[in-house]
Amino acid sequence: MCGIVGYVGGREACPILLKGLHRLEYRGYDSAGVAMVDEDGALNVYKCKGKVSDLEHFLAGKELGGNIGIAHTRWATHGAPTDKNAHPHLDCTGRIAIVHNGIIENYRELRSYLARNGHTFASDTDSEVVAHLVEDAWDGPCKGDLVAAVSNAVSRLEGSWALAVVCADAPDQLVVARNGSPLVVASTPEGAYAASDVTPLASVTAHVIQLENGQI
């Protein structure tokens, strides 16, 4: 089973994300990854096959700054358990990152459309199409509006999803969306949180909101 953690606020995001991933290890997974937007506006993505402890070892010496980020543990469905198929996934520009739980049933059609329109793919997953759909909307009708770009992207999806999205060009926004796959959010004086279940947030707050289908 896949797991999602997201944070935006006044604290360093990476330790919060990693702690959340550890709390999701009970779900079973084969890879893990994180993405953070740092204070210089760079989107730093690190992911690998294996356990969260393997990811922590991989992170040694890396740039881990930033107070916004998303993280994921993946159980392979589309594509083998490899580094390239681990989440987060990026758009072509490397400025948009997404994590996804669920199944995109029309990903083949979407991938074909996106490829015909100049997008290149780095993984074998169904999830990666979401990053490119957000890019497509960001560069088109939703320029400068990440919420609108995510809304446009999910309107083109068939299947189930819990999504968390960050963009280097919107460094104060974490956008989440849900349809058929659980996602909870919470807010505290220290920031806003998202997760695929309440477990990663248990040490933060007892007050969470379960997103309904179709909510962003």
Side-chain angles (χ1 to χ4, degrees):
M1 297 174 67
C2 300
I4 286 173
V5 184
Y7 173 77
V8 55
R11 299 170 59 191
E12 287 290 316
C14 193
I16 295 170
L17 299 175
L18 291 172
K19 183 177 180 180
L21 291 186
H22 276 298
R23 288 180 175 270
L24 288 170
E25 287 189 286
Y26 76 93
R27 297 169 68 95
Y29 65 102
D30 54 42
S31 60
V34 295
M36 290 84 62
V37 180
D38 69 20
E39 60 184 11
D40 296 321
L43 177 59
N44 297 307
V45 178
Y46 308 108
K47 56 185 184 175
C48 64
K49 177 184 175 182
K51 300 298 184 183
V52 176
S53 58
D54 296 316
L55 175 64
E56 289 175 314
H57 180 73
F58 179 62
L59 291 175
K62 303 291 196 303
E63 173 54 59
L64 305 179
N67 63 359
I68 179 171
I70 53 177
H72 194 265
T73 52
R74 175 183 185 255
W75 184 259
T77 51
H78 291 88
T82 61
D83 292 353
K84 72 173 185 177
N85 288 333
H87 295 222
H89 290 294
L90 294 170
D91 73 322
C92 293
T93 69
R95 303 289 285 173
I96 296 167
I98 70 99
V99 291
H100 166 239
N101 290 355
I103 298 175
I104 307 303
E105 295 173 355
N106 61 333
Y107 85 96
R108 290 184 181 85
E109 298 92 326
L110 293 170
R111 188 175 177 121
S112 177
Y113 160 81
L114 290 162
R116 291 196 305 272
N117 285 272
H119 292 262
T120 57
F121 291 83
S123 80
D124 304 316
T125 68
D126 59 331
S127 302
E128 190 186 355
V129 299
V130 180
H132 293 278
L133 289 175
V134 175
E135 176 193 4
D136 203 44
W138 178 273
D139 288 342
C142 305
K143 182 67 175 179
D145 189 335
L146 186 59
V147 176
V150 173
S151 179
N152 181 288
V154 299
S155 74
R156 302 165 72 178
L157 300 178
E158 297 174 8
S160 62
W161 56 86
L163 294 168
V165 184
V166 293
C167 176
D169 299 310
D172 59 347
Q173 287 188 305
L174 167 63
V175 182
V176 297
R178 185 242 170 157
N179 186 69
S181 191
L183 194 65
V184 300
V185 296
S187 181
T188 76
E190 295 182 326
Y193 302 79
S196 46
D197 67 39
V198 300
T199 308
L201 308 185
S203 64
V204 176
T205 180
H207 303 286
V208 301
I209 298 170
Q210 173 75 52
L211 266 66
E212 302 294 335
N213 284 334
Q215 281 193 306
I216 299 175

